[in-house]
Every structure is written in structure tokens, then in C-alpha cells.
């Protein structure tokens, strides 16, 4: 018989063993919580700074793309002015050879249109250059903020890495023990345990009855309910806070 086939399925594990496993799991998770508490808000601060930096980088990239578009506009307008000047020169030459006033006036109108085109291009070039100057100023300010945030991120990451390194071995050991502790507990119960931990402030999902009260919310647990808890025939939760009541402290003291 293989080790896998010999293993007891979580559903077949006695309730007492499941409760003992849950108590162990709670103890391990509380130690892990303390390790993570030492890190404080550093993980969130690092994540927030990374998001902020990414936002600034996107902004700079957008400005660069807009400036490229404006430079393309300037280039196109300069070419339009050059083309207009060439046409004006051409029309000037044609005016020298007109045969009547009608042709002269028609060419004069074309020259006027090209001069207007040059004026419009000059205006568009100035507007585009102004926008480029504005966006370059925005880029400069954004890059300044970006440099500051990168320095902040380096500092925060350094602090976090130091704290993580100090507890890395202990945390790894606790995680290994935690994985082992979950084996006798079926997924449904683990899901409930995780949900309860997420719903309470101190992370205690499994507690003992102490001095006739729930070890989590401190509300009174009636004698009959304590007797049911001691019997370990089923999983019992606190009627007030929903925590799992694993045992009565006086019985195991």
C-alpha cells in the first residue's frame, strides 16, 4: 500500500484532531501575522510608489509622443511654406508674361492665397512650438517627481528587504509547518477559517473558552455549550462573533 493510499482523507479525520490542527494553524498564523506586522505598511507603500512611478512614466511617454506629433506638424508646415514660396516665385514669373488684366488678376489671387498659406503655416508653427515648450516643462516637472519617487522607492525597498531578510528563515519554517497543519482539515473548513480570520480584527479565528467566555469576543458561553465543545463531536462556533471554539481552557490546563 502506498503512502498516498494509506493517508487518511480530511473528511475521515476525527473532529478532535481537526480542532487540534486548527489550533496549531491559528498559532502558526498568529506568528506569521506578527512577522508581517513588523513590516507595517512598507509592502503597501512600496506597491503604491511603484504604481505612482508607473503613472509618471506613462505621462512622460505620452508627452514625448505628443511632442513628436507637434514636431511632425512643424515639419509639414515648413514644407507647406516652402512649397508656397516656390509657387509664388513661379506665379511672379508668369505675371511677367500675361496677355491681359484677367490673367494678371487670376495670378495675383493665387499669389495672395499662397502668401496666406505661409501666414497660416507660420501661425501653426508658433502654436506648435509653444505647445512643445509647455510639454517640455511638464516633462521636466514630471521627471523631477519621478526621480524623487524612485529615491523613495529605493529607500522603502531597502527597509523592506532588510526586515524580510531578518525573518525570512523563520517565516519559511512557519509556512512549512502551516502547510503540514492544514492536511487533516478539509477545504470547506479551511475556507471558513480563512473567512473568519479576514472578518475579525486580531486574526483569531480559532480560540479557547476562557473563564466561561469566548476567547475572541469575551461573550459568555453557556455551560451546556461548553459541554458540547468539550465533547468534540462537532465544530462549534461562538454565537456572537462566529469564531471556532476549539476547547475549554480549564479542561486542558
Amino acid at each position: 500500500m502506498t503512502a498516498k493510499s494509506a493517508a487518511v482523507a480530511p473528511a475521515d479525520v476525527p473532529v478532535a484532531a481537526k480542532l487540534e490542527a486548527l489550533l496549531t494553524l491559528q498559532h502558526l498564523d498568529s506568528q506569521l501575522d506578527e512577522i508581517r506586522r513588523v513590516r507595517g505598511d512598507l509592502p503597501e507603500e512600496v506597491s503604491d510608489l511603484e504604481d505612482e512611478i508607473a503613472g509618471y512614466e506613462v505621462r512622460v511617454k505620452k508627452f514625448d509622443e505628443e511632442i513628436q506629433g507637434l514636431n511632425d506638424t512643424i515639419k509639414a508646415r515648413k514644407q507647406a511654406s516652402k512649397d508656397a514660396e516656390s509657387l509664388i516665385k513661379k506665379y511672379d514669373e508668369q505675371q511677367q508674361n500675361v496677355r491681359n488684366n484677367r490673367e494678371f488678376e487670376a495670378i495675383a489671387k493665387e499669389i495672395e492665397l499662397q502668401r496666406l498659406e505661409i501666414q497660416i503655416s507660420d501661425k501653426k508653427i508658433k502654436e506648435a512650438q509653444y505647445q512643445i515648450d509647455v510639454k517640455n516643462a511638464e516633462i521636466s516637472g514630471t521627471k523631477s517627481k519621478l526621480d524623487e519617487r524612485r529615491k523613495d522607492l529605493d529607500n522603502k525597498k531597502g527597509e523592506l528587504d532588510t526586515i524580510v531578510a531578518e525573518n525570512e528563515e523563520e517565516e519559511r519554517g512557519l509556512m512549512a509547518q502551516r502547510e503540514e497543519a492544514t492536511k487533516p482539515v478539509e477545504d470547506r473548513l479551511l475556507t471558513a477559517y480563512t473567512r473568519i480570520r479576514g472578518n475579525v480584527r486580531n486574526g483569531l479565528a480559532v480560540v479557547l473558552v476562557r473563564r466561561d467566555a469566548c476567547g475572541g469576543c469575551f461573550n459568555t458561553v453557556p455551560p451546556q455549550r461548553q459541554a458540547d465543545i468539550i465533547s468534540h463531536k462537532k465544530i462549534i462556533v461562538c454565537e456572537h462573533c462566529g469564531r471556532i471554539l476549539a476547547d475549554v481552557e480549564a479542561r486542558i490546563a
Side-chain angles (χ1 to χ4, degrees):
M1 183 178 292
T2 64
K4 184 175 181 180
S5 60
V8 178
D12 298 327
V13 173
V15 172
K18 291 178 183 178
L19 288 168
E20 184 178 352
L22 284 171
L23 270 174
T24 300
L25 184 61
Q26 179 65 77
H27 178 66
L28 293 168
D29 279 339
S30 293
Q31 292 181 75
L32 287 166
D33 288 344
E34 180 60 24
I35 289 174
R36 289 158 187 163
R37 185 193 65 77
V38 173
R39 297 173 189 170
D41 295 329
L42 280 174
E44 289 77 13
E45 289 175 5
V46 167
S47 179
D48 289 344
L49 282 168
E50 288 174 339
D51 290 343
E52 189 175 358
I53 287 170
Y56 284 138
E57 289 173 341
V58 168
R59 187 182 300 179
V60 169
K61 183 179 179 182
K62 182 181 177 183
F63 283 142
D64 284 337
E65 290 172 350
E66 290 174 349
I67 287 173
Q68 181 59 52
L70 290 166
N71 280 323
D72 290 342
T73 296
I74 290 174
K75 183 178 179 181
R77 283 296 174 178
K78 284 182 176 179
Q79 184 60 49
S81 292
K82 187 176 180 181
D83 292 343
E85 288 171 356
S86 296
L87 286 173
I88 289 172
K89 184 178 180 181
K90 175 185 174 182
Y91 292 144
D92 280 339
E93 292 174 354
Q94 288 179 354
Q95 267 188 330
Q96 304 303 317
N97 300 311
V98 295
R99 291 172 294 182
N100 53 56
N101 286 338
R102 182 183 298 175
E103 289 181 2
F104 184 88
E105 289 176 1
I107 292 174
K109 286 182 180 180
E110 290 296 333
I111 291 173
E112 185 62 29
L113 286 173
Q114 296 307 315
R115 285 174 177 164
L116 182 60
E117 178 65 26
I118 291 172
Q119 290 177 2
I120 292 172
S121 291
D122 288 345
K123 181 181 178 182
K124 294 294 183 182
I125 288 170
K126 289 179 181 178
E127 290 174 352
Q129 189 58 59
Y130 173 77
Q131 289 297 319
I132 288 174
D133 292 341
V134 170
K135 292 183 187 301
N136 276 327
E138 290 281 0
I139 288 175
S140 178
T142 302
K143 284 185 174 180
S144 178
K145 292 178 182 177
L146 191 54
D147 289 340
E148 291 177 6
R149 292 299 177 268
R150 281 173 175 161
K151 289 177 183 177
D152 291 341
L153 179 60
D154 288 341
N155 291 334
K156 294 293 183 182
K157 273 189 171 180
E159 292 177 36
L160 182 58
D161 289 345
T162 298
I163 294 172
V164 169
E166 289 174 353
N167 300 289
E168 186 175 11
E169 187 175 347
E170 181 184 2
E171 186 174 8
R172 192 184 301 115
L174 289 170
M175 289 300 294
Q177 293 178 58
R178 187 186 191 283
E179 184 177 355
E180 191 67 26
T182 61
K183 290 181 179 179
V185 186
E186 64 262 39
D187 291 342
R188 176 186 59 80
L189 194 52
L190 282 175
T191 299
Y193 166 81
T194 302
R195 185 183 69 252
I196 295 169
R197 265 178 55 80
N199 289 337
V200 294
R201 286 190 304 172
N202 56 10
L204 293 178
V206 183
V207 296
L208 298 175
V209 175
R210 292 189 172 96
R211 297 181 180 179
D212 299 326
C214 168
C217 67
F218 310 114
N219 279 292
T220 300
V221 179
Q224 181 55 51
R225 197 160 184 81
Q226 291 187 46
D228 293 338
I229 294 167
I230 292 171
S231 71
H232 292 158
K233 291 181 180 179
K234 61 180 180 179
I235 303 293
I236 295 176
V237 300
C238 175
E239 296 175 335
H240 301 280
C241 66
R243 289 179 172 90
I244 297 170
L245 300 173
D247 213 330
V248 177
E249 186 178 49
R251 189 187 74 84
I252 61 176

